[in-house]
């Protein structure tokens, strides 16, 4: 099976699974217990936290383990909003965020918060001018995703950070779930994001693991309360094996990043050229300067599902633009926000690469896709 | 790499007449000692200041990170140098000041010191020339001669031009070891590491003693004390930790002294053991983290009863400190997080329900007189285990594979 749906989820690394198994077998004690086994589990957890902090250029006690990307995003959103609402209730985000941000925004809106949505241009990139204009004294949070999950647009995070920090006291949250391990993203000493969301299963770790990390001391309202774990910000016994597996996967991802990035770029260019051969039959949504590991495209008048099935018969897994919303029938909010032409709107497909993708697989994809196009569209339409 | 050396300004020792040389040598040794892991370091100790050569950025980072903790240093500055050429000087100045470009509005001045009198421009000319080069390049700089935020100091010396802009505050105090050695009673709580720190700041070298009562206290508690001892080494000296097997003595006290006085008696035994160890290691005083009125053993009556066993000076740097102030220091020096780990220690295992806050010395002596404690004390002292910190970091290999 050729798996080209790595933005939906990834296959865990063997080494990461080995870590997960071993930690479950050897260090299963509760890290909050004071007996030796507990202390050992806690030491291991602390080391995992430290490792992630180093990769992100922050302090260990600024790294919180969560149950995944949605929780991290929700937590950042609600947590900052509730903690900061004495300063104001204004929040800025974009139209093309993941639903875990947009739904959280909606809910806050119903609670009296004011949300401004930035509109992307046709390449999916927000306007920094618009951002600057919308910032005000009451703005407490700006949340912008680094890489869009549906079409790979990269937002100008550093420039946005500078604008936000120079013009407001808002916290800058970046959903880095699709970019961590694929593009460089860390905290910077001064400029840069204040909060980062990461998800384990997008970097070949396990589902059910995530991180919410802070540049400075976390100023956030907990929404899980209880035993006071995770510095009192997220109670509940910490899932040590998941956390350690996350730390390992994160290290592997960052170590491999330069090499992987080159590969993704090569494949992306290659496929952009390949799709161009089909002329106006295929519309490529992903901008050429977008994230190279995501490539979204659409075939004129063809529903996405038909192509997915046809490719699947040839043992190649591709997907619609977002796994999270693929079972919904309406057009994705991202595609809507980008004003995609009607003939292409309903068939947006996404190829996404991961650590296990190979050159051969890309070639096989092209071969199979050419055949499928012939089958579905006939020779003469080329 | 623009910075080639670090200039270290001495602390209090600049006022120490004839002993000055010893102080300086001690500081140099302590610096060497603190940076054992990045040796070799070329250190030039002069009468008024010390220069540490830097060969690479890595060393610079480690030095910048740890020098602020070393006692005996007033302040220090990374120093850049260049040839005696005006263009080179201007370029270097701009390079150094680049760090302040994004720092908001800044008041600024150039200060020139010219030891090499053959340099073609005199002090004022050089000052003006540098200022005129720098100011147009930085829109956020305004000149202020009194108390500017940033002073670019340009020194024209025989061999080269030296420049610095940053003055980093040191830890002050005196080089550890310049005021003899004392034995610190290290319990694992918040107070005792702070007491040790304060004495080190006054130049006292520290050996630590800990009373270990297995199975009543756990390896966790011991591990915590080791961490604390290790934590104290960053102020510029090694620390030896003497771990006393205390169970036997502690149980003997519990069994033979009435409950309400057992606490006083236990402390007296600790003091006796400590005093013997102190003598063996050649320390001159005993340091404790006692603070007046904090617990039953820290009333003046208790202190009198405990102190009765020795005539050695007992140094109590925290005696008048409030708990909150102590916590604040513990946080600053990085021992707090370790101290608050919740493990039983020797002082908490047999705590009586209502210890006497005003024990009578004669009564305590009376109850102790029925038991041969001396023998037990000798044994405890003899069977102590000694650890030296900082320990070579033993990487926990079993975890490395997992991560």
């Amino acid at each position: 099976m050729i798996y080209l749906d790595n933005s939906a989820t990834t296959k865990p690394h063997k080494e990461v699974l080995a870590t997960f198994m071993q930690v479950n077998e050897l260090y299963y004690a509760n890290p909050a217990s004071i007996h030796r086994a507990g202390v050992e589990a806690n030491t291991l957890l602390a080391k995992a936290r430290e490792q992630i902090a180093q990769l992100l250029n922050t302090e260990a006690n600024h790294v919180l383990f969560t149950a995944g990307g949605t929780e991290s995003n929700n937590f950042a959103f609600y947590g900052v909003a509730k903690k900061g609402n004495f300063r104001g209730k204004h929040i800025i985000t974009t139209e093309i965020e993941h639903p875990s941000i947009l739904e959280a925004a909606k809910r806050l809106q119903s609670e009296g918060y004011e949300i401004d949505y930035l509109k992307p241009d046709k390449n999916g990139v927000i306007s920094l001018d618009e951002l600057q204009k919308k910032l005000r004294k009451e703005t407490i949070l700006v949340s912008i995703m680094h890489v869009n999950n549906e079409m790979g647009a990269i937002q100008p995070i550093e420039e946005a950070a500078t604008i936000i920090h120079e013009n407001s006291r808002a916290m800058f949250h970046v959903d880095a779930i699709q970019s961590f391990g694929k593009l460089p993203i860390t905290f910077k000493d001064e400029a840069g994001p204040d909060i980062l969301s990461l998800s384990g299963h997008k970097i070949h770790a396990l589902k059910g693991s995530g991180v919410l990390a802070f540049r400075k001391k976390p100023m956030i309202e907990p929404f899980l309360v209880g035993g006071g774990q995770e510095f009192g910000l997220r109670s509940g016994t910490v899932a040590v094996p998941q956390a350690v597996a996350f730390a390992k996967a994160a290290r592997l991802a960052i170590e491999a990043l330069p090499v992987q990035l080159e590969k993704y770029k090569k494949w992306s260019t290659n496929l952009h050229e390949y799709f161009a051969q089909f002329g106006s039959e295929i519309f490529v949504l992903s901008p050429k300067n977008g994230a190279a590991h995501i490539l979204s495209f659409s075939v004129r008048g063809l529903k996405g599902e038909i192509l997915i099935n046809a490719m699947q018969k040839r043992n190649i897994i591709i997907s619609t633009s977002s796994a999270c919303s693929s079972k919904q029938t309406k057009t994705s909010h991202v595609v809507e926000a980008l004003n995609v032409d009607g003939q292409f709107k309903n068939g947006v497909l996404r190829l996404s690469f991961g650590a296990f993708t190979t050159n051969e697989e890309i070639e096989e994809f092209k071969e199979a896709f050419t055949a499928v196009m012939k089958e579905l569209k006939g020779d003469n339409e080329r | 790499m623009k910075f080639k050396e670090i200039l270290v300004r001495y602390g209090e020792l600049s006022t120490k007449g004839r002993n000055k040389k010893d102080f300086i040598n001690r500081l140099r040794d302590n610096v060497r000692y603190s940076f054992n892991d990045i040796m070799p370091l070329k250190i030039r100790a002069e009468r008024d200041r010390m220069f540490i050569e830097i060969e690479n950025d890595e060393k610079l980072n480690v030095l910048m990170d740890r020098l602020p903790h070393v006692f005996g240093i007033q302040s220090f500055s990374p120093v850049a140098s260049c040839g005696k050429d005006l263009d080179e000087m201007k370029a270097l100045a701009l390079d150094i000041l680049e760090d302040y470009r994004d720092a908001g509005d800044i008041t600024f001045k150039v200060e020139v010191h010219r030891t090499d009198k053959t340099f073609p421009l005199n002090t004022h000319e050089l000052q003006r020339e540098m200022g005129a080069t720098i100011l147009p390049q930085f829109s956020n700089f305004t000149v202020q001669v009194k108390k500017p935020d940033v002073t670019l100091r340009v020194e024209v010396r025989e061999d080269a031009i030296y420049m610095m802009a940053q003055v980093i505050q040191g830890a002050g105090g005196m080089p550890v070891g310049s005021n003899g050695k004392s034995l610190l009673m290290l319990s694992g709580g918040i107070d005792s590491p702070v007491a040790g720190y304060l004495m080190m700041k006054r130049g006292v070298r520290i050996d630590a003693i800990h009373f270990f009562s297995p199975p009543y206290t756990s390896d966790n508690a011991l591990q915590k004390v080791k961490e604390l001892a290790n934590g104290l080494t960053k102020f510029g000296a090694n620390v030896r930790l003497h771990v006393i097997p205390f169970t036997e003595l502690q149980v003997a006290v519990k069994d033979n002294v009435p409950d309400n006085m057992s606490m006083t008696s236990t402390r007296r035994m600790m003091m006796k053991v400590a005093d013997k160890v102190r003598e063996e290691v050649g320390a001159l005083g005993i340091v404790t983290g006692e603070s007046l009125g904090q617990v039953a053993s820290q009333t003046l009556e208790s202190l009198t009863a405990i102190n009765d066993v020795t005539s050695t000076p007992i140094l109590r740097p925290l005696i008048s400190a409030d708990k909150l102030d102590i916590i604040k220091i513990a946080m600053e020096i990085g021992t707090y997080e370790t101290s608050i780990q919740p493990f039983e220690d020797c002082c908490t295992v047999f705590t009586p329900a209502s210890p006497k806050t005003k024990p009578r010395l004669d009564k305590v002596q009376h109850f102790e007189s029925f038991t041969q404690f001396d023998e037990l004390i000798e044994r405890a002292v003899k069977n102590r285990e000694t650890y030296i910190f900082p320990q070579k970091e033993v990487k926990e290999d079993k975890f490395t594979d997992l991560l």
Side-chain angles (χ1 to χ4, degrees), chain A residues 19 34 40 51 248 251, chain B residues 220 396 398-399 401-403:
Chain A
T19 286
I34 63 162
E40 223 168 29
Q51 181 161 313
K248 178 150 192 169
R251 176 178 65 79
Chain B
N220 287 331
E396 276 163 90
K398 57 178 181 181
F399 290 156
D401 276 358
L402 293 171
L403 290 162

Side-chain angles (χ1 to χ4, degrees), chain B residues 222-236:
Chain B
L222 183 58
Q223 184 53 37
K224 172 171 141 180
V225 170
K226 287 180 183 171
E227 266 171 48
L228 290 172
N230 197 36
L232 287 175
T233 61
K234 73 174 173 208
F235 306 106

Side-chain angles (χ1 to χ4, degrees), chain B residues 27 30 69-73 171-176 197 200-201 235-236:
Chain B
L27 179 61
N30 286 358
H69 297 300
V70 177
F71 288 131
I73 294 176
M174 302 205 250
V176 176
Y197 160 82
M200 289 172 93
K201 186 164 185 176
F235 306 106

Side-chain angles (χ1 to χ4, degrees), chain B residues 259-271:
Chain B
D259 212 26
N260 59 4
M261 276 187 223
S262 65
M263 187 266 308
T264 309
S265 206
T266 308
R267 299 295 157 113
R268 284 164 56 89
M269 297 307 151
M270 285 178 174
M271 195 55 86

